[in-house]
Amino acid sequence: MGQWTSTVGAAQLARQLGSRQGPFRDGAAGGRRVPAYRSLADSVRLLVLEGHVPVAARLPAERELAAALAVSRTTVAAAYEALRGEGFLESRRGAGSWTAVPAGSPLPTRALHPLPPEAAGTMIDLGCAALPAPEPWLSRAFRAALDELPPYAHTHGDYPAGLPVLRQALADRYTARGVPTMPEQIMVTTGAMGAVAAICRLFAGRGERIAVEAPSYANVLQLMREAGARLVPVAMADGLAGWDLPAWRQVLRDAAPRMAYAIADFHNPTGALADEGQPRQLVEAARAAGTVLVVDETMADLVLDEGVEMPPPACAFDPAGGTVVTIGSASKAFWAGLRMGWVRAAPDVIRSLVAARAYADLGSPVLEQLAVTWLLGGEGWAAAADVRRDQARSNRDALVAAVRRHLPDWEFAVPHGGLTLWARTGGLSGSRIAEAGERLGVRVPSGPRFGVDGAFEGFVRLPFTVGGAVADTAAARLAAAARLVESGSPAGVDTPRTFVA
Amino acid sequence: MGQWTSTVGAAQLARQLGSRQGPFRDGAAGGRRVPAYRSLADSVRLLVLEGHVPVAARLPAERELAAALAVSRTTVAAAYEALRGEGFLESRRGAGSWTAVPAGSPLPTRALHPLPPEAAGTMIDLGCAALPAPEPWLSRAFRAALDELPPYAHTHGDYPAGLPVLRQALADRYTARGVPTMPEQIMVTTGAMGAVAAICRLFAGRGERIAVEAPSYANVLQLMREAGARLVPVAMADGLAGWDLPAWRQVLRDAAPRMAYAIADFHNPTGALADEGQPRQLVEAARAAGTVLVVDETMADLVLDEGVEMPPPACAFDPAGGTVVTIGSASKAFWAGLRMGWVRAAPDVIRSLVAARAYADLGSPVLEQLAVTWLLGGEGWAAAADVRRDQARSNRDALVAAVRRHLPDWEFAVPHGGLTLWARTGGLSGSRIAEAGERLGVRVPSGPRFGVDGAFEGFVRLPFTVGGAVADTAAARLAAAARLVESGSPAGVDTPRTFVA
């Protein structure tokens, strides 16, 4: 960035650091000696990565921060030096030091431990937030699609923008939601991930900044990292209150990212829901900053409780699609086994996305597109969503009860929709719980997968994918994993048992 | 590369330049003044891009080449300087000048001209080498797949490596072809393009060299360019004789590419077929060079004539899959509307490809996988391939007759299989013919799409996708387009009417 655009005072930073001490102690963590400067550097890094201290914010001078924290100036100087070495701080003589984020480096893809024979077949997999198909609607949709197939079987089957009937059906759906839309504004993709990949190729080249919620959807963050983007985290508001608009305005104004990626409805992983006014405000801030705002509506149909007020879609405040690019998907609302997603944007953006598709996946399968067309054209989509909501609600309630029973010190807010519970793991390392869980028959993704470069070590994500006795067993195994981590049993990786959160 | 690894003498280069003069004349081309140095630089560039002069070959000293060509030394010096500026030549004082290739820059994705009203609906699209579905096998396969769906509908539908039954069926198919294969060596992908994209992500990072046939499959070349690869062209042998093994050995030895991409069977676009001994020789050369050899078998089932001797699969000479990565697809042999492809490689390569998939398209649709499993498990695949071959053969014969009738000076070798005819357009610019064709109701991809950075301007690719009267109309429109280009009618882009080929 080359310069700071806002300032964090010494007292303010000391307060933010102090409020996060938790089990963090200078001198020792997880049974190992940790120098004070290292603890301080880690704490500052996490404040940046979780979006609590914005990127390009000038930090206090070493002497001031040392006084505010009652530590030696040497400790602060060494912490700043460590942060500079890791790309989280930039300095220039006379201008001071300001926060930064390094270019994304992909997470190492670690092979999962092979299961011991006694666990094989009994692993409860909470790794994937997707549910079984809402039958009988899957079979019905495919049977109807087969009836529609013959005329398409006479073509080469290659529709890079999607079948015209499906583009029309999706456009009609936006129009019915109050956002007039033409088929030329729609492209069918291979799931929401195919949509994000295509949008990143178009808007966010290597080294380009993308603002993302902290936390956000793990696979999208990794895709962006692999594309070489610089991820600029923006903290979510507390609890389930949706976006922190002042934080977003600051990041959009100061970091001027090329693109921003946000989930308005039942955010993954936190389950947060934007309030009625937020979409308009975020769109206005993005427009003012010249930032393309990519809004992922994958979870929008998954309202689980009565009386929930859904926010208006962000594209309602940018119907022409010059600022807002909307992503939808059948993977969560209907079934992941379809691999069906779509993009709504301005016609020229859609044309560019379609042109680039010849060099990616070429197109989406015809029969799946006919199945989704049939679902959208009749009662199928709504009826399937009812089945899906019933499954998810019952699983959520079972999971919440089971976690409260077996892990009473884990903290979370129960979301009113979506498919995920974001649980604070009582001061233990989420990565080590995930690792111990793998050995004890429960697979769960740890918090850092949902954060930028190591944030959210104190969390795991639990999906609403199992219910009843299985949810109870899963929570019991997680509790056993937590005990294992707490007791200091040796782990396969060198992660401290406790952490700053 | 930093240094040369072979040498081209002045007499040899002059001979190669001389054999390519064709309609090329110093002083004027396409009605415009072209300086002699520019013509010489373009000719050398095309020799490199079409693989006739290898990369990292030392060119003769300016004085020697000037003498051999009977031009001034100033002309040669200016040509070399132009080539250096474009990244096709590197020089160091005392070491001379050697050929190079610039890092790939994506072709501009040019929007197609909107069709005039009288042409709308009458455009003959020869842009895509894919045929209608081989019914009744498509409908039968989907009906059978629907019967198998219920147990899968109870899962989340997310299978990043592919359904176990399909991995097994594909492995069995390789085993039946004489290459023992385990399901762990198979990954199901979103078409062959999904396979190439995943393999490039794994093996060929930015700036990495990939050896490719010249010409090769347009979409794959563009995908590699977008990934930032340096494409090193290797000329195909003359006619339909398959690979030029000495050229391949030289490139693999001298350029040491990280990866090579080759099509053994009914090459796209030329239709060439490797002979019996070539796969083994290419695998041995790749192994010796430490190059990952990616072999695309998309066209392997499309034998159109009797008595054609198919080469053994390249993976037969590397059954463990340490050197050879094989790509297969149902898009050409069955139907592009399925979007089904696969990779065969060593189990650890497959594991890495699968792990990275979470950040790409996540997986392939379940029903399509069940349909392909059913086709492979019974008579379906072979019977559908018979239908497909009958269509393609009859289209090929109609196309060949029509082109000979309407365009007697176009030259081509009639391939014994595959889906494409690679036609030399009688000295006219393929790009301008394509552009004129667009206005006259026939869409055809020009040669440069299949080459590295502007090679093959003198070609178009014609697919075996229309037959009978439609093939005749298509050829008649192409002939009209050729006349338009020859008569010098104004074109929308600044491409010379004639060119060096």
Side-chain angles (χ1 to χ4, degrees), chain A residues 1 8 27 29 36 43 64 70 73 86 112 137 216 245 285 331 390 424 482 486:
Chain A
M1 239 155 274
V8 187
S43 300
E64 291 170 51
R73 182 169 166 189
E86 296 156 6
L112 292 167
W137 297 102
S216 184
L245 259 300
S331 292
D390 288 344
R424 194 182 280 268
E486 208 158 21

Side-chain angles (χ1 to χ4, degrees), chain B residues 63 76 135 192 194 200 230 235 245 258 270 273 288 351 420 445 458 465:
Chain B
R63 190 185 307 272
V76 177
E135 286 290 42
C200 283
R230 286 170 186 269
L245 258 301
R258 180 75 186 89
T270 65
L273 182 66
R351 274 195 299 274
T420 57
T465 50

